[in-house]
Amino acid sequence: MEMLELSGSVEEIVFTNEDNGYTVCVIDYDGKPVTLVGIMPLLAEGEIITARGSWVNHEVFGLQFKVDSFEKKLPSDTESICRFLASGFIKGIGPVTARRIVERYGEDSFDVLENNPEWLADIKGMTQKRAAAAGEDFRAKFGMRTVMLFCGEYFGAATSLKIYKKYGAAAVDIIKQNPYVLCDDIQGIGFEKVDSVALSLGVETDNPERLKNGIKSFLMTAAYKAGHCYLERSVLVEEAALRLQVSEALIDRTLNSLEELKQITVTGEKVALTLFSKAEKYVAEKLLSLSASEIPFRIAGLDEQISFLEAKYDIEYAPKQKNAIKHAVSEGVTVITGGPGTGKTTVIKAILNIFVASGISFMLCAPTGRAAKRMSEASGSEAKTIHRLLETRYDSKGNLCFSRDESAPLPYNAIIVDEVSMVDVLLMESLLRAVRHGSYLILIGDADQLPPVGAGDVLTDVIESGRLRVIKLDEIFRQAKESLIVVNAHKINGGELPKLDEKNGDFFFLQRNAPDEITSLVSSLCETRLPKSYNINPLDDIQVITPTRKGTLGTAKLNVVLQQALNPPGNGKKEKSFGSIVFREGDKVMQTRNNYDIEWTGDGKQGSGIFNGDIGIIVKLDNKKQIAHIRFDERYAEYDYSLFEDLEHAYAITVHKSQGSEYPFVIMPIYDCPPMLMTRNLLYTAVTRAKRIFIGTGLPYGVARMVENDKKQKRNTTLLERLRSAEQVNKF
């Protein structure tokens, strides 16, 4: 889209959001009023603004100029200066006082405000206190203008505002002295961006701060893109030297410096960010300690209680289920794992019944909101997200942390965690810090699903260590055997081709030979065929999941097609463009980053926090107030439009994003994509997301490729080694 430039004086501020700087204003452009919209913080009437952006046609407010970046300068003629001061922009100065200041000091009024505000006390109606406050407010806002102008050369207005809020008027000096502080202090700014700013400011390639932050960035990228808790020193040195364009010897010396600063931990050839090294060490030690701790509760007559539950619910527990129940209520740490249809939920219900009968307090939790909701519905007991259980808060520096830890442990005798395969090592560390010694810890999950998005592979390492009680449920029960979803999931997991030719049941495969044919089928299934056949709501009941974000059958392209099919424009539906995405009333959207501040109400409750992976429907767009009303299941939240940067359409989502959730109907296109995504555990995870119907479409050989590809990308972790090598022997 072609970028245009407009300049003019600000005639009216229609709307402004002080938190994020989003502003709607009218400028005088060549004698004509033009409406500008965008992030333009601390704008005041009378200022001269030069804005760069493009024209958009708003369905309600008509033609507007959408601002991408802008510059502004203080007015210079006395009439404009008077309008600026009369707008109330400067604390303590109104229209009458503004006129008196300009009459006294004319074009020097701003200079007086900045350098000699005490002179204003001579003006009728101004006291020394008011004059000092006005001068302080002017300098603060003028300082912000300087920061915004400087940062605007490198970052967008929203990021520049974050920088100002962090450092204040000193931001320019701080950045010029050491641009790399932005890597740690400002969320959303990566090393590559900061590095380009630093080099443009003349920072040398061998600058120590550049090298230290570059190395930390590579380690962090390895953690969040590949799940590694450490990198081999030789690999890190070679890669860092190449990308930072310095010698390997210099990288080696920088590693030694980072180790002295305790920002990294070096163990032999393993180099880890200290937070990951400490996390793995703590998780290993705490799990073994909890496992060896004396449980202060003695539950008598377990066999009788199990028999009572069998009679009560008219079931007969399998031997491994009984084994899981007994160990879970008798030992400090128990891991229960198994695929679909193996009775994990039945075991959880029995455990909870025994805890209730014995007066043992407990809490259920899971890593995502949907997983917690599913756990609550299946068990009949309250379940929370791990983050909510640990009570997220912000410390004095504005960093996210948890209220629950060793000093304020969880007030429960037992903690039951579901979907543990999704829990990364940092979250597991935080959870374990809040678990009291002498408590039961019951970990439930399916180790054959995809590993967590974050660093580590906790569930797999714990199971393979042999140091903790692990019960694997592997018997498929009679009712589950009737489900082809369950049968095929176990076939896939065992390396067998699933049945693709069944015409009746809950698992279907519809062959299509080309991407456009697959896309057309997925669209028609969502829009008409499934809703008509099963009388369902396509937004609530159908989820398209795909291996990749990119490509012809990735989420980006499928979401465009499905939005047009399921929620086309028209019928008075309001829209809001954010970047290249058009959000529309009725759209299905997903939150892509944890946000603990968004408040919600619903079902007689209120709280805060919308988390990565939460899916909702845009109920209403208020373009005047710049607010969206979004329903996440029973929770209703208000989104300032600036928060749209953390939203994306969710008609189609990746398999990774679907972890921990179940959907009545799942549709999965299966076609060529990168080999690292054509894996057995990804297909297994996708199939097990379907609760009622699974429909695969594409080429049968694509299914075969995925089943045959049992390669799991090895994650560099030390947890397995730490568990195995710990002195305390507790092997079962």
Side-chain angles (χ1 to χ4, degrees):
M1 183 179 293
E2 183 183 359
M3 298 295 288
L4 304 174
E5 186 173 282
L6 301 182
S7 295
S9 63
V10 178
E11 299 297 304
E12 180 186 3
I13 303 296
V14 179
F15 169 83
T16 187
N17 184 317
E18 294 182 2
D19 291 333
N20 58 37
Y22 188 91
T23 301
V24 180
C25 70
V26 177
I27 69 168
D28 180 352
Y29 175 61
D30 288 342
K32 298 178 181 178
V34 173
T35 300
L36 272 55
V37 296
I39 297 177
M40 298 173 283
L42 289 185
L43 201 61
E45 293 176 7
E47 288 185 292
I48 308 300
I49 184 172
T50 299
R52 286 170 292 278
S54 56
W55 292 103
V56 295
N57 195 8
H58 192 280
E59 61 180 23
V60 176
F61 302 109
L63 195 64
Q64 298 178 335
F65 192 77
K66 183 180 177 183
V67 177
D68 183 69
S69 63
F70 72 100
E71 295 175 5
K72 56 184 180 177
K73 61 182 180 180
L74 290 172
S76 55
D77 64 276
T78 55
E79 190 59 35
S80 296
I81 292 172
C82 188
R83 283 189 60 220
F84 175 86
L85 293 176
S87 69
F89 184 69
I90 302 301
K91 187 185 299 182
I93 299 178
V96 175
T97 304
R99 175 62 61 186
R100 289 171 178 167
I101 291 173
V102 174
E103 286 176 351
R104 173 73 65 89
Y105 298 110
E107 294 178 0
D108 295 326
S109 297
F110 291 144
D111 183 64
V112 171
L113 266 169
E114 182 176 7
N115 299 307
N116 302 101
E118 67 276 5
W119 294 359
L120 299 179
D122 296 336
I123 292 175
K124 184 180 178 180
M126 289 290 283
T127 64
Q128 286 286 355
K129 185 176 181 180
R130 281 183 65 193
E136 183 179 346
D137 191 44
F138 181 85
R139 284 191 294 269
K141 288 172 178 172
F142 190 77
M144 180 180 183
R145 298 158 69 89
T146 304
V147 172
M148 295 295 291
L149 187 63
F150 174 80
C151 292
E153 295 183 29
Y154 309 108
F155 310 105
T159 301
S160 299
L161 189 60
K162 288 181 184 178
I163 293 171
Y164 176 77
K165 287 183 176 181
K166 178 67 179 180
Y167 304 123
V172 176
D173 291 335
I174 290 172
I175 293 171
K176 286 183 176 179
Q177 183 178 357
N178 179 17
Y180 296 99
V181 296
L182 297 173
C183 294
D184 294 326
D185 291 349
I186 308 297
Q187 186 175 22
I189 304 182
F191 171 77
E192 289 78 8
K193 180 62 179 177
V194 173
D195 196 40
S196 67
V197 172
L199 294 176
S200 73
L201 292 173
V203 174
E204 299 292 337
T205 56
D206 61 353
N207 180 284
E209 291 300 321
R210 177 176 186 263
L211 301 182
K212 285 187 286 188
N213 280 278
I215 289 170
K216 289 192 295 182
S217 169
F218 298 148
L219 289 169
M220 190 63 77
T221 299
Y224 286 103
K225 287 197 173 180
H228 296 316
C229 291
Y230 70 85
L231 289 177
E232 293 290 340
R233 186 177 187 124
S234 59
V235 173
L236 177 59
V237 168
E238 182 180 357
E239 178 69 13
L242 180 65
R243 292 178 63 183
L244 295 174
Q245 296 182 308
V246 295
S247 68
E248 292 187 2
L250 193 52
I251 296 296
D252 252 324
R253 290 199 295 273
T254 306
L255 286 174
N256 294 335
S257 175
L258 284 169
E259 187 176 17
E260 289 175 7
L261 293 170
K262 297 184 178 179
Q263 294 181 10
I264 65 170
T265 301
V266 180
T267 309
E269 286 298 304
K270 299 171 183 175
V271 181
L273 287 169
T274 297
L275 81 158
F276 291 114
S277 177
K278 283 185 175 180
E280 291 202 293
K281 182 175 184 292
Y282 185 88
V283 169
E285 291 175 350
K286 185 65 175 281
L287 284 174
L288 291 174
S289 176
L290 286 171
S291 178
S293 293
E294 188 73 22
I295 296 295
F297 315 102
R298 286 289 174 263
I299 301 177
L302 277 179
D303 288 329
E304 290 78 4
Q305 290 204 51
I306 290 174
S307 296
F308 171 79
L309 292 173
E310 287 180 318
K312 179 180 178 180
Y313 294 110
D314 191 24
I315 58 175
E316 181 179 350
Y317 298 118
K320 286 190 176 181
Q321 287 182 307
K322 289 182 180 179
N323 193 32
I325 295 166
K326 289 180 179 180
H327 286 298
V329 301
S330 305
E331 297 172 1
V333 179
T334 306
V335 180
I336 302 172
T337 183
T342 57
K344 295 193 298 294
T345 300
T346 302
V347 169
I348 294 172
K349 286 182 178 179
I351 293 168
L352 298 186
N353 270 277
I354 293 172
F355 281 159
V356 169
S358 305
I360 295 171
S361 62
F362 61 84
M363 179 51 68
L364 307 173
C365 63
T368 67
R370 281 183 167 256
K373 180 184 178 184
R374 187 159 56 89
M375 191 183 193
S376 178
E377 291 171 346
S379 66
S381 298
E382 181 186 11
K384 299 180 178 181
T385 64
I386 297 175
H387 290 84
R388 184 176 163 214
L389 177 65
L390 298 179
E391 300 173 16
T392 54
R393 63 180 178 85
Y394 292 93
D395 62 19
S396 58
K397 295 182 179 180
N399 298 317
L400 186 74
C401 59
F402 296 109
S403 296
R404 294 291 180 179
D405 53 20
E406 295 99 332
S407 62
L410 293 166
Y412 307 104
N413 304 129
I415 303 294
I416 302 101
V417 191
D418 198 12
E419 297 287 356
V420 180
S421 64
M422 297 178 64
V423 180
D424 63 51
V425 71
L426 294 182
L427 185 57
M428 181 58 76
E429 177 199 16
S430 297
L431 176 62
L432 292 177
R433 287 189 182 279
V435 177
R436 296 181 297 187
H437 282 279
S439 300
Y440 296 99
L441 178 65
I442 302 168
L443 305 176
I444 303 161
D446 186 347
D448 294 313
Q449 288 190 25
L450 293 170
V453 174
D457 199 355
V458 175
L459 181 59
T460 298
D461 287 346
V462 166
I463 292 172
E464 292 183 1
S465 73
R467 297 294 301 275
L468 298 160
R469 177 72 68 185
V470 177
I471 296 98
K472 182 172 184 179
L473 304 177
D474 51 16
E475 179 183 348
I476 306 176
F477 291 95
R478 181 181 57 80
Q479 187 175 357
K481 286 180 180 178
E482 297 173 2
S483 166
L484 198 54
I485 291 175
V486 172
V487 171
N488 276 342
H490 284 273
K491 280 181 172 291
I492 291 166
N493 201 32
E496 297 180 48
L497 284 174
K499 297 179 180 178
L500 302 181
D501 54 357
E502 293 285 342
K503 302 303 180 185
N504 298 307
D506 56 10
F507 185 107
F508 302 93
F509 186 83
L510 306 177
Q511 181 171 339
R512 294 294 185 273
N513 300 320
D516 58 339
E517 294 177 1
I518 297 172
T519 300
S520 177
L521 175 61
V522 170
S523 179
S524 67
L525 285 169
C526 292
E527 184 181 6
T528 56
R529 292 174 61 173
L530 291 177
K532 184 177 180 181
S533 298
Y534 294 95
N535 191 28
I536 58 174
N537 182 328
L539 295 183
D540 292 335
D541 297 322
I542 302 173
Q543 186 59 60
V544 177
I545 59 178
T546 181
T548 180
R549 295 178 61 87
K550 300 177 181 179
T552 54
L553 293 168
T555 57
K557 291 196 174 180
L558 283 174
N559 272 317
V560 173
V561 172
L562 292 173
Q563 183 195 35
Q564 180 62 33
L566 300 177
N567 190 35
N571 297 325
K573 286 183 283 192
K574 296 178 182 176
E575 296 182 349
K576 169 63 182 175
S577 296
F578 196 91
S580 61
I581 301 177
V582 176
F583 291 103
R584 185 175 298 137
E585 289 177 340
D587 269 345
K588 185 175 184 178
V589 293
M590 172 183 280
Q591 176 76 9
T592 61
R593 183 175 66 85
N594 290 342
N595 188 320
Y596 304 92
D597 295 329
I598 298 175
E599 296 182 351
W600 54 262
T601 59
D603 199 21
K605 301 176 182 178
Q606 60 182 14
S608 62
I610 302 294
F611 303 113
N612 185 6
D614 284 354
I615 291 178
I617 304 294
I618 297 178
V619 177
K620 179 183 177 183
L621 293 174
D622 189 330
N623 289 323
K624 186 173 183 180
K625 294 182 178 179
Q626 303 292 304
I627 290 174
H629 300 262
I630 304 179
R631 171 178 62 84
F632 294 91
D633 295 323
E634 294 83 19
R635 299 171 297 160
Y636 288 82
E638 286 190 357
Y639 268 61
D640 184 273
Y641 278 1
S642 64
L643 298 177
F644 275 20
E645 64 181 349
D646 297 327
L647 283 179
E648 60 184 31
H649 286 128
Y651 300 100
I653 64 175
T654 63
V655 178
H656 283 86
K657 287 288 188 181
S658 75
Q659 280 183 273
S661 300
E662 278 188 346
Y663 312 96
F665 291 73
V666 166
I667 302 171
M668 182 184 183
I670 301 174
Y671 200 74
D672 287 330
C673 61
M676 67 181 66
L677 296 174
M678 298 289 285
T679 64
R680 182 185 300 176
N681 65 340
L682 188 139
L683 179 60
Y684 172 76
T685 301
V687 170
T688 55
R689 298 310 91 205
K691 190 174 182 180
R692 186 174 168 189
I693 300 287
F694 176 87
I695 300 174
T697 177
L699 296 172
Y701 94 89
V703 177
R705 277 182 58 198
M706 296 184 82
V707 172
E708 291 168 3
N709 184 5
D710 194 27
K711 293 180 180 178
K712 295 181 181 179
Q713 185 179 8
K714 185 183 182 303
R715 295 190 166 197
N716 295 341
T717 73
T718 64
L719 180 59
L720 176 60
E721 178 186 340
R722 291 178 189 274
L723 287 168
R724 284 178 172 173
S725 62
E727 292 182 5
Q728 174 192 338
V729 176
N730 188 29
K731 186 173 182 179
F732 296 102

